[in-house]
């Protein structure tokens, strides 16, 4: 398993030779070889970048930055030498650049979190809490068995009468009542559990 | 933002054949040839110093000049080598031994003779003529180096700029010791390494835009 991982992270010798040939052709103006090469190295670059950057947007940005650099200085590649170290050196440069840029911006900027939008009056702070509760409730409702979910959706969320809900779902009024009762009970259990977890 | 597959498609669709760079040793040789050409021009225009024959018998002078010349050659080789992405950083150490010998032979000379006040009033000192030679030598050499190493701007701008400027400084010092009878090494080092520090400082402030007027445009695809 560990060996598989190592193999997938580092390009094998064959691949490198292959990339080297592709790059040599790309330098001669072969567009298909170039397209294939860039497509082939992208997953490798992504895994390389992902070791240093967590945010998927950052990873993609750095990968594109590397590809642009490779394009700009593609004439510095010497086909007699392996392609892997050449590419890795460029990748390292761009990864470090981005880390430095992040370090600099972290010094003078701070991320805007929802908590920062709050006010002294307690009424003004309900928004974030309400949004959280609504999300949790929707998730809890979605996890109910089908019958209970339908009952609670029709009666409580869409606020239908028992008669309307019965017509809409085809369930009898009595079974709707039972399903609603059970649904509320399990919702109380699920939400209570989540609150304890937090 | 453009997606990565789109970017690859654009890069592949717009790619053109490129000429591969020659080996770094050869390129350093070409630059040194250019330096020799500049020195020959100066020698023809200015003439060598009158006491050169005498000085060439002094071991200290010969050692200093040989060290500065060797520093220039080695620094040029190092600069061209580390300008390539896949070469080791250790190439930076290549000119170090010669540099140490050279620095140990430094005198104050030129720094102290900016103007001389004699019976004929204030005159420009030998320093000014030294300075003229210095500018005439180091400007074209620096410019040639900058153009030849423009690709390094995207990779290791600082290290390459410092090594390149050291090469220019060493060659200039050799030139001055051939043409002027004052020891100008310190002034040259201050001038050239000061230039290097300025370039590096500007590089830090401007980022990769520093080389952008000679470097290939990495962002040109996105700009369109």
């Amino acid at each position: 398993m560990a060996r598989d991982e190592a193999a997938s992270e580092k390009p094998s010798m064959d691949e490198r030779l292959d990339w080297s040939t592709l790059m040599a052709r790309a330098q001669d103006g072969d567009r298909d070889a170039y397209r294939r090469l860039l497509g082939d190295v992208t997953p490798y670059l992504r895994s390389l970048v992902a070791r240093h950057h967590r945010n998927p947007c950052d990873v993609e940005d750095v990968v594109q930055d590397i590809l642009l650099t490779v394009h700009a200085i593609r004439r510095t590649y010497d086909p007699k030498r392996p392609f892997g170290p050449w590419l890795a050196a460029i990748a390292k440069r761009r990864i470090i650049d981005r880390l430095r840029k992040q370090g600099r911006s972290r010094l003078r900027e701070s991320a805007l979190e929802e908590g920062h939008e709050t006010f002294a009056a307690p009424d003004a702070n309900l928004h974030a809490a309400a949004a959280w509760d609504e999300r949790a409730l929707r998730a809890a409702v979605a996890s109910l068995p089908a019958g209970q979910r339908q009952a609670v959706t029709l009666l409580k969320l869409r606020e239908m009468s028992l008669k309307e809900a019965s017509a809409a779902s085809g369930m009898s009024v009595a079974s709707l009542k039972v399903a609603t009762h059970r649904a509320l009970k399990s919702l109380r259990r699920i939400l209570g559990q989540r609150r304890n977890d937090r | 933002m453009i997606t990565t597959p789109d970017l690859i498609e654009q890069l592949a669709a717009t790619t053109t054949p490129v000429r591969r760079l020659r080996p770094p040793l050869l390129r350093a040789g070409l630059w040194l040839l250019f330096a020799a050409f500049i020195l020959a021009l100066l020698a023809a225009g200015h003439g060598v110093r009158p006491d050169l024959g005498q000085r060439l018998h002094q071991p200290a002078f010969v050692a200093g000049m040989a060290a500065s010349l060797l520093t220039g050659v080695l620094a040029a080789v190092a600069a061209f080598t580390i300008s390539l992405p896949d070469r080791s950083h250790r190439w930076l150490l290549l000119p170090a031994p010669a540099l140490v010998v050279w620095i140990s032979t430094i005198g104050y000379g030129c720094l102290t003779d900016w103007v001389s006040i004699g019976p004929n009033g204030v005159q420009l000192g030998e320093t000014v003529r030294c300075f003229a030679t210095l500018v005439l030598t180091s400007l074209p050499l620096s410019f040639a180096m900058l153009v030849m190493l423009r690709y390094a701007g995207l990779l290791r701008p600082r290290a390459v700029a410092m090594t390149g400027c050291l090469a220019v400084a060493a060659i200039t010092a050799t030139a001055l010791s051939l043409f002027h009878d004052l020891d100008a090494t310190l002034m040259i080092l201050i001038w050239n390494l000061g230039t290097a520090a300025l370039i590096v400082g500007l590089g830090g402030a401007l980022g990769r835009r520093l080389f952008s007027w000679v470097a290939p445009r990495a962002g040109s695809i996105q700009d369109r």
Side-chain angles (χ1 to χ4, degrees):
Chain A
M1 186 65 194
R3 197 188 288 163
D4 283 353
E5 263 177 29
S8 66
E9 275 177 5
K10 288 211 164 151
S12 70
M13 204 59 206
D14 280 357
E15 273 175 342
R16 265 187 223 174
L17 281 178
D18 205 13
W19 289 354
S20 173
T21 323
L22 286 175
M23 188 61 184
R25 283 196 202 142
Q27 285 176 324
D28 294 333
D30 182 342
R31 290 180 179 170
D32 290 331
Y34 197 39
R35 189 175 295 121
R36 205 185 125 194
L37 173 76
L38 294 184
D40 280 0
V41 299
T42 301
Y44 167 60
L45 291 178
R46 220 171 263 144
S47 76
L48 217 57
V49 177
R51 285 184 210 166
H52 304 274
H53 294 279
R54 293 251 171 77
N55 185 345
C57 282
D58 280 342
V59 173
E60 219 50 31
D61 252 15
V62 178
V63 168
Q64 294 193 5
D65 220 2
I66 299 169
L67 291 177
L68 284 168
T69 309
V70 165
H71 184 72
I73 62 169
R74 61 194 188 282
R75 58 186 295 190
T76 65
Y77 176 64
D78 178 359
K80 277 177 241 138
R81 298 171 69 92
F83 182 78
W86 185 82
L87 181 68
I90 295 175
K92 196 176 134 201
R93 239 11 278 179
R94 294 287 85 95
I95 290 170
I96 293 175
D97 276 1
R98 174 57 69 109
L99 285 173
R100 279 194 189 135
K101 202 171 140 199
Q102 282 175 345
R104 276 199 297 273
S105 61
R106 212 171 290 139
L107 282 181
R108 51 168 199 260
E109 295 168 10
S110 55
L112 189 65
E113 290 167 14
E114 249 178 318
H116 293 153
E117 288 180 6
T118 185
F119 297 94
D123 288 351
N125 294 326
L126 285 175
H127 170 71
W132 162 254
D133 280 346
E134 193 185 320
R135 264 205 305 278
L137 183 63
R138 279 187 192 285
V141 169
S143 69
L144 291 175
Q148 294 181 20
R149 187 171 62 233
Q150 196 180 28
V152 89
T153 311
L154 295 179
L155 288 171
K156 301 294 171 193
L157 297 182
R158 294 209 199 142
E159 296 180 340
M160 288 182 179
S161 68
L162 275 169
K163 215 183 239 175
E164 286 166 344
S166 167
S169 65
M171 289 159 80
S172 72
V173 170
S175 59
L176 270 175
K177 276 183 178 170
V178 172
T180 310
H181 176 72
R182 284 185 186 155
L184 290 183
K185 210 166 152 188
S186 28
L187 280 180
R188 218 168 274 140
R189 185 169 43 78
I190 295 171
L191 291 174
Q193 216 170 32
R194 203 164 285 176
R195 204 154 290 151
N196 291 341
D197 287 349
R198 261 195 290 160
Chain B
M1 199 184 90
I2 186 169
T3 65
T4 306
D6 285 349
L7 176 70
I8 292 176
E9 191 49 48
Q10 278 201 30
L11 290 178
T14 55
T15 189
T16 45
V18 287
R19 204 166 46 83
R20 288 176 197 121
L21 289 184
R22 293 191 190 86
L25 262 181
L26 185 65
R27 302 183 70 225
L30 283 177
W31 183 82
L32 287 166
L33 215 61
F34 177 67
F37 172 69
I38 298 266
L39 292 200
L41 275 189
L42 274 178
H46 184 280
V48 293
R49 62 199 277 181
D51 58 344
L52 185 65
Q54 244 175 296
R55 293 295 296 247
L56 281 178
H57 292 292
Q58 297 171 359
F61 175 79
V62 175
M65 213 173 85
S68 67
L69 189 63
L70 194 65
T71 307
V73 173
L74 294 181
V77 171
F80 279 95
T81 307
I82 60 166
S83 73
L84 297 174
D86 54 346
R87 308 302 164 109
S88 160
H89 247 94
R90 291 196 198 115
W91 279 94
L92 274 176
L93 296 174
L94 186 67
L99 180 64
V100 170
V101 177
W102 177 32
I103 299 277
S104 67
T105 62
I106 281 181
Y108 292 102
C110 263
L111 265 189
T112 52
D113 190 25
W114 282 99
V115 288
S116 55
I117 303 169
N120 303 324
V122 179
Q123 280 185 330
L124 295 179
E126 175 73 5
T127 303
V128 177
R129 287 186 289 280
C130 263
F131 194 73
T133 310
L134 190 161
V135 173
L136 277 179
T137 322
S138 55
L139 275 190
L141 287 182
S142 302
F143 186 74
M145 187 75 104
L146 185 64
V147 171
M148 287 179 91
L149 292 180
R150 58 193 180 277
Y151 299 99
L154 290 169
L155 292 163
R156 300 169 182 157
R158 278 151 218 246
V160 173
M162 284 313 279
T163 329
C165 288
L166 178 66
V168 174
I171 296 287
T172 312
T174 316
L176 286 190
S177 58
L178 283 174
F179 303 134
H180 293 278
D181 48 10
L182 289 171
D183 184 352
T185 309
L186 200 59
M187 183 168 84
I188 298 157
L189 271 183
I190 291 174
W191 163 263
N192 276 298
L193 296 186
T195 313
L198 193 72
I199 289 176
V200 170
L202 282 177
L206 301 178
R208 272 182 276 153
R209 269 171 287 171
L210 167 67
F211 285 84
S212 63
W213 60 282
V214 283
R217 291 296 303 273
S220 59
I221 293 284
Q222 281 184 330
D223 292 346
R224 282 189 305 135

